[in-house]
Amino acid sequence: MLTSLSVRDIVLIERLDLECGAGLGVLTGETGAGKSILLDALGLALGRRADAGLVRMGAAQGIVTASFDVPPKHPARAILAEQGFEETDDLVLRRVVGQDGKSRAFINDQPVSVTLLRRVGDTLVEIHGQNDEQGLTDATIHRALLDEYAGLEQEVAGLRDAYQAMRDAEKALVEAAATAEQAKREEDFLRHVVAELEELKPQPGEEQELAGQRSMLQAGEKLASAMQEAQSALEQGGGVDARLRACLRALERVSDKAAGKLDAVIALADQLLVQAGELAAALERTARDLDLDPQRLERVEERLFALRAAARKHNVLVDDLPKLAEQYAEKLALIDHQTASLGKLEKAAAAAKAAYQAKAEAISAARRKAAAKLDKAVAAELAPLKLGAAKFTTAVEALPPEQWSAEGADRVQFLASTNQGTAPGSLAKIASGGELSRFMLALRVVLAGRGSAGTLIFDEVDRGVGGATAAAVGERLARLAKRVQVLVVTHSPQVAAKGSQHWRIAKRETGAAKNRTTLTEVAPLSSGDRREEIARMLAGATITDAARAAADSLLAGQEA
């Protein structure tokens, strides 16, 4: 809801501070007083087009500030949250326009782009006037409005989930089919590679082990020579074993005469004799186990070279060959089992599509039923608004499958014709001026504020009508104002009398005769002032007692 509007140096407005409340606010004044200037000024704050002609003559810049009381879950707050704005109680939109036509935009005193200002502004205020139609004329929101009118919000939320599930299932099927197709094209290659790797049977860590064996086998001659030399050293001169035994016998012959002094030496000699035997046996075993056969070296090298050749062929490390073999085997298995695998995915996709279609068809039926109800309700509002020849139609058109969306399988559009025998067209093209504004009023009343901004503005919705029709317009504006804030620029006393707030727009001249300046001012009216203004609207230039009495009657009807 718009709570205040501040205007500085815009066209004929030098200074204006307007406080707004809930309900129906009416703006009246003589023709040419500048009512459109006020709407142009508000439009600036909402992100509309700016130009140098909007700045008051002699002023350096024009400034418009609009403050709004916005509920917590309002779309404007979601837009600002996306942009990193902190949560605040009020929302303040400001626009500054220079003499060169360039402008700056601010939201809560933070600089923003005019595009962002317009996005936020469109969620706050909806204007219906002679040259400024928005909101209900936007066909992209008609489906959502019909769903809200029909109370289908939960059903549509379930449809969005079903649509996402359908898309996910279709994506899984497409990806699996593409993978299988690619694998099918590579089948001959895969079978050759899998057979080759299965025959090779690479093992993790095998390259390092084979490289170690190869190094050892390549040094086989040196190892054999060293082993022989060691064995010869043990056997030279009768052998270490024989000499140790001779040493031990010599010591044992005299040990009883040494009073135990030789016991340790004899024990050590005995130990050396045992270890010498063990050393000889170990040398013999090692020489036998080394298997330094040149043919074994040849076999190790062949295996090592085969592994490395396979790794180069597939551009991987040797240690990655086992994993590669597993991956290729899985791809080949996909080919072998693709019929069963794709069959399951096809069934899942078909089931998801069927679930979506069932929900979409149920919602389509509900939409068509609600559309007929909406058409009937709008038709009942048109005749009192002097639009008896007009016809409103909610078109619910089935979409081809390729155009189905998370919102359903329908295109919804509000159509209308204002004359009998003419084909219905989009709301934005059926008429102009007050006729279209009254059409929008009828539709807004029936929709009961659904999908609307917090503030609705009607510019001369009563143009070209009077009497009972003007009274019908005022009654509907007042009814709508019980749900959302409504501001109306009017020339009709019947409409003005319905307002809960009333401002009078007038021009005045200031300055000396040679340098007189015309300014537009907006003044809130008290109850007495309202009586005089409505009497003026009834009587014209000369206000009579009869006009005042008629104004009292209109105001009494408003109070009743």
Side-chain angles (χ1 to χ4, degrees), residues 414-438:
F414 297 156
L415 304 176
S417 61
T418 54
N419 299 295
Q420 290 185 353
T422 60
S426 66
L427 290 176
K429 298 178 180 179
I430 61 162
S432 61
E435 188 177 54
L436 180 55
S437 293
R438 294 199 306 280

Side-chain angles (χ1 to χ4, degrees), residues 1 60 74 126 140 156 165 183 203 217 233 282 315 360 368 454 474 506 519 542 550 557:
M1 181 183 76
H74 193 279
E126 185 177 304
T140 62
V156 173
Q203 302 297 319
L217 291 171
N315 197 28
R368 288 190 291 271
L519 298 177
T542 303

Side-chain angles (χ1 to χ4, degrees), residues 70-132:
V70 182
K73 294 184 179 180
H74 193 279
R77 294 196 180 278
I79 293 173
L80 293 177
E82 292 175 359
Q83 303 297 321
F85 277 72
E86 294 183 359
E87 188 82 11
T88 57
D89 293 335
D90 296 329
L91 210 54
V92 181
L93 277 57
R94 181 160 56 94
R95 188 85 169 276
V96 180
V97 184
Q99 286 184 329
D100 57 0
K102 295 181 180 179
S103 71
R104 291 171 291 150
F106 302 85
I107 296 179
N108 290 349
D109 288 329
Q110 294 189 43
V112 297
S113 68
V114 175
T115 300
L116 178 59
L117 188 71
R118 179 69 180 258
R119 283 184 63 200
V120 173
D122 284 347
T123 69
L124 298 171
V125 178
E126 185 177 304
I127 300 175
H128 299 287
Q130 299 178 50
N131 302 307
D132 194 356

